[in-house]
């Protein structure tokens, strides 16, 4: 898999740690980012995983960046792309070429977007959580694969709550990605089913779009 990051990369680290065990069934073949100097890239380097950076600002327009990042990802021939705290919306060149899994720090469809933890706190919810889903052309709108709830406690601020969510998110992402690669998947409308289906004997050929 190719993992895309924009920040601290703790979800990436969870995937790197899990994939150290061959029984996990997946390896991180490259880590991509949309900016330099982030901890996520340092984590990849420390694990001897190749990295690349594609900045939107280095291209004439968004369409050129979309094509460039899709080409960079494709050069590693991944079976799966994981958007793990990657703060850019991927365009058609990536959506058409790859199965992309995203992790989000809220219980979708509540609180999509870049400020999910802040928005959940502001709304006063008592339970939030995390969602692992397939990426489609919308913002956090793809078919949901798995979710887990996390309580909001009375004195939480954004940082404390996000840390509590992330601890759950790491396990959920690792579990979902491992099951996808080991068991395959099918998608029917908004339903994602993990495990082989009749007529889909090869996990790597799961219908993903
Ligand atoms: C995660 O909570 C992810 O869901 C959100 O940003 C956070 C990234 O954390 N989009 P990290 O970079 O994996 O530490």
């Amino acid at each position: 898999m190719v993992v895309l990051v924009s920040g601290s990369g703790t979800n990436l680290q969870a995937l790197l740690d899990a994939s150290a065990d061959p029984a996990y069934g997946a390896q991180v073949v490259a880590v991509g980012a949309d900016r330099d100097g982030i901890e996520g890239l340092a984590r990849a380097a420390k694990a001897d995983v190749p990295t690349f950076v594609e900045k939107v600002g280095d291209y004439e327009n968004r369409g050129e960046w979309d094509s460039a990042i899709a080409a960079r990802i494709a050069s590693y021939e991944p079976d799966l792309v994981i958007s793990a705290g990657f703060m850019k919306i991927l365009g058609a060149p990536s959506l058409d070429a790859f199965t992309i899994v995203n992790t989000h720090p809220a219980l979708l469809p509540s609180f999509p977007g870049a400020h999910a933890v802040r928005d959940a706190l502001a709304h006063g919810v008592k339970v939030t959580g995390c969602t692992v889903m397939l990426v489609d052309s919308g913002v956090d709108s793809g078919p949901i694969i798995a979710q887990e709830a996390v309580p909001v406690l009375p004195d939480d601020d954004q940082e404390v709550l996000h840390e509590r969510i992330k601890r759950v998110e790491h396990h959920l992402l690792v579990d979902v990605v491992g099951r996808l690669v080991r068991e395959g998947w099918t998608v029917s409308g908004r339903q994602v089913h993990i495990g082989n289906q009749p007529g889909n004997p090869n996990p790597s050929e799961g219908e993903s779009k």
Side-chain angles (χ1 to χ4, degrees):
M1 52 196 165
V2 167
V3 182
L4 302 176
V5 295
S6 296
S8 62
T10 60
N11 282 284
L12 163 66
Q13 190 66 54
L15 290 168
L16 288 169
D17 292 347
S19 57
D21 179 356
Y24 183 60
Q27 288 88 44
V28 181
V29 292
V31 171
D34 62 332
R35 60 198 76 185
D36 295 311
I38 55 172
E39 206 183 332
L41 289 171
R43 290 176 190 275
K46 196 169 170 204
D48 284 328
V49 172
T51 61
F52 61 88
V53 176
E54 293 289 353
K55 299 180 205 169
V56 173
D58 287 346
Y59 292 89
E60 285 281 303
N61 55 53
R62 187 64 177 243
E64 283 188 15
W65 178 83
D66 282 332
S67 298
I69 193 160
R72 286 299 282 269
I73 296 169
S75 71
Y76 294 97
E77 300 183 2
D79 295 313
L80 269 186
V81 175
I82 316 296
S83 170
F86 186 62
M87 302 306 282
K88 291 282 181 296
I89 304 290
L90 290 164
S94 290
L95 296 177
D96 292 346
F98 314 114
T99 295
I100 308 169
V101 173
N102 188 24
T103 176
H104 182 75
L107 292 175
L108 293 169
S110 292
F111 312 116
H115 304 288
V117 179
R118 182 194 74 188
D119 294 346
L121 264 182
H123 199 83
V125 297
K126 304 303 175 212
V127 176
T128 184
C130 50
T131 301
V132 177
M133 73 279 195
L134 295 175
V135 173
D136 67 6
S137 59
V139 176
D140 298 324
S141 58
I144 291 168
I145 310 173
Q147 294 185 299
E148 206 164 316
V150 173
V152 180
L153 302 180
D155 293 331
D156 278 352
D157 61 17
Q158 198 173 315
E159 193 181 340
V160 167
L161 178 58
H162 201 167
E163 278 309 310
R164 189 178 308 118
I165 293 170
K166 277 183 162 191
R167 284 199 296 274
V168 175
E169 198 178 10
H170 298 158
H171 293 294
L172 191 69
L173 181 65
V174 164
D175 177 64
V176 166
V177 167
R179 288 197 293 128
L180 288 172
V181 297
R182 291 189 304 271
E183 301 173 36
W185 68 92
T186 52
V187 182
S188 173
R190 291 201 55 84
Q191 305 304 315
V192 182
H193 178 87
I194 298 180
N196 280 339
Q197 296 291 291
N200 179 27
N202 183 346
S204 67
E205 292 176 0
E207 275 176 46
S208 56
K209 303 288 179 325

